[in-house]
Amino acid sequence: MTICVDTTTLRDDLVRLRRSLHAEPEVGLDLPRTQDKVLAALDGLPLEIATGARLSSVTAVLRGGRPGPAVLLRADMDALPLTERTGLVFASRTDDAMHACGHDLHTAMLVGAAQLLAARRASLAGDVVFMFQPGEEGCDGAGAMLAEGVLDAAGRLPTAAYALHVFTTGFENGVFAARSGPTMAATSDLDVRVVGAGGHGSAPYRAKDPVPAACEMVTALQTMVSRVSDPFDPVVITVGSFHAGTRRNVIPDAARFEATVRTFSAAARNRIQDASVTLIRSIAAAHGLRAEVEFTPRYPVTVNDTHETAFVESTVQEEFGGHRFRPLPHPLTGGEDFSRILEEVPGSLVMLGASLPGADPATVANNHSPHVVFDEAVLPEGAALYAALATRRLAAEPIDAPAPPRP
């Protein structure tokens, strides 16, 4: 197809943009340098551009040459608070920040899609909204952009929404994958502070030691998961942060830990919330201690629309060949705030294998690793899929079709 052929001329530009983004990563909702680079890359295209008021977002609308509905394409732009250890010549120059989840690739791909679609503006039967989003990594940038009206950017609710996400593990290089229904997990935060009474390490009976009780809570949470959750409605709890004390011979007044909770249904989330809070407080009470517990729901389950996911599959097969699509066999336990867009608009989150050629996707460094390296060869193909999804979806929608109702 023409879209795929034309992307070869974009490759060098997309690689340069991706490497520039990678070398200067920014974390969170405030990404001024990243925003400037995206705006510069879009400069000269026939787009209506708006930037965020409370975050460094970019929303661009391409008006098609013929009347029709609107389609939204999204890319996340933020990095992770990691120190890069890849040794790449364009490695991060920012301390404690790295594009370790491929968002630099997503951003370059969406810029490429904007360039491809702008060249075909006259033939587009409707409008395309390009959503460049900060703060996907735990900052709910999608929620902030929703609050600032990204879904109204074209003047009407989009008919469909699509996003791409690269992975180095679990997917063959260059293969697209998706599934209908639950695709990525809901995320929640579990924050615990165990309060006791400090003392000398040589006389624990004269203190109220919070450390062993907190350790017991960590292990008990894992047992709890296997005993209160349905194995066919999975739950994952991981404690990623644990802090207590200052010296080996000093019993601290308090210990604290932080966990992430992943679920695939509201019922599972509610059940785990009740059970974990009860468990932690009960263990604390058994040790004569007090526990301060906060369970905070974050992103909802990412649910792909059945029709839109089938449309993604057919588009990949027609544009790239049948061997380039694989049905995703089961949901991923990662979380995504694109879930907020999919609560409002039918659409699909699509995975793309991006490990280096010859690498074993079963053992190579994964997303969120300081050693992860992505294959830049997927950049023009990601741009092509974004553009093909928008073009084909607009052409498939009747001009007089009503906009989908808000849930």
Side-chain angles (χ1 to χ4, degrees):
M1 298 294 293
T2 304
I3 288 177
C4 294
V5 171
D6 286 355
T7 58
T8 58
T9 63
L10 283 179
R11 176 185 166 83
D12 290 347
D13 287 342
L14 298 187
V15 168
R16 278 192 292 271
L17 174 58
R18 182 261 168 157
R19 292 187 178 188
S20 176
L21 293 167
H22 191 91
E24 293 189 278
E26 296 173 295
V27 176
L29 297 171
D30 186 25
L31 318 177
R33 294 189 302 275
T34 302
Q35 184 186 60
D36 286 346
K37 291 175 183 180
V38 169
L39 292 172
L42 299 177
D43 187 45
L45 299 179
L47 302 170
E48 299 170 10
I49 295 179
T51 56
R54 293 180 297 159
L55 71 168
S56 301
S57 61
V58 176
T59 303
V61 180
L62 177 67
R63 302 291 182 183
R66 295 186 288 133
V71 168
L72 182 144
L73 305 175
R74 177 270 208 166
D76 38 13
M77 304 190 295
D78 57 317
L80 284 158
L82 291 175
T83 299
E84 182 164 354
R85 303 191 186 283
T86 62
L88 295 170
V89 295
F90 54 91
S92 171
R93 299 193 295 267
T94 304
D95 292 339
D96 298 323
M98 176 190 175
H99 271 295
C101 202
H103 296 188
D104 49 339
L105 280 82
H106 305 164
T107 302
M109 289 172 181
L110 192 56
V111 166
Q115 295 170 343
L116 289 169
L117 290 168
R120 293 161 175 76
R121 179 184 183 189
S123 63
L124 289 180
D127 305 331
V128 183
V129 179
F130 302 93
M131 176 182 175
F132 293 91
Q133 179 211 307
E136 187 278 329
E137 297 289 355
C139 297
D140 199 8
M145 290 191 71
L146 282 172
E148 293 194 355
V150 67
L151 294 186
D152 299 316
R156 59 202 178 284
L157 189 67
T159 295
Y162 307 101
L164 284 175
H165 204 303
V166 294
F167 286 90
T168 57
T169 60
F171 305 94
E172 301 169 54
N173 180 279
V175 170
F176 298 94
R179 74 186 308 272
S180 62
T183 298
M184 297 191 80
T187 64
S188 302
D189 296 344
L190 178 63
D191 297 277
V192 179
R193 183 170 181 263
V194 185
V195 182
H200 200 290
S202 66
Y205 56 92
R206 296 184 183 277
K208 292 185 177 180
D209 192 348
V211 176
C215 293
E216 184 178 334
M217 292 170 189
V218 172
T219 55
L221 284 169
Q222 306 306 315
T223 303
M224 178 203 70
V225 166
S226 69
R227 293 299 178 266
V228 305
S229 61
D230 184 338
F232 297 101
D233 190 5
V235 173
V236 174
I237 298 181
T238 297
V239 176
S241 175
F242 190 109
H243 297 274
T246 56
R247 292 179 65 90
R248 73 182 71 231
N249 62 343
V250 178
I251 294 173
D253 284 329
R256 60 185 176 88
F257 63 87
E258 300 173 356
T260 184
V261 182
R262 307 300 170 107
T263 53
F264 290 93
S265 71
R269 174 185 267 177
N270 293 337
R271 186 166 57 248
I272 288 298
Q273 177 173 355
D274 293 342
S276 61
V277 171
T278 298
L279 176 71
I280 289 164
R281 288 177 176 165
S282 298
I283 292 174
H287 287 267
L289 308 172
R290 175 170 56 89
E292 299 169 355
V293 190
E294 293 185 9
F295 189 102
T296 309
R298 296 297 183 188
Y299 299 162
V301 180
T302 302
V303 181
N304 280 354
D305 180 80
T306 299
H307 171 77
E308 298 302 340
T309 303
F311 174 73
V312 167
E313 179 176 359
S314 65
T315 299
V316 171
Q317 291 173 341
E318 292 179 31
E319 289 284 334
F320 299 96
H323 65 290
R324 296 290 297 278
F325 183 86
R326 297 284 188 278
L328 188 63
H330 51 73
L332 305 181
T333 49
E336 246 291 351
D337 67 353
F338 189 61
S339 56
R340 298 209 185 277
I341 303 298
L342 296 181
E343 285 187 322
E344 303 289 333
V345 177
S348 190
L349 174 66
V350 185
M351 316 306 174
L352 172 57
S355 58
L356 293 177
D360 181 356
T363 60
V364 72
N366 195 7
N367 293 39
H368 287 222
S369 165
H371 303 281
V372 68
V373 178
F374 298 94
D375 184 9
E376 294 175 327
V378 302
L379 288 169
E381 297 187 336
L385 182 62
Y386 269 133
L389 289 171
T391 302
R392 290 172 177 269
R393 190 66 181 83
L394 291 176
E397 188 72 16
I399 291 176
D400 58 352
R406 289 186 180 274

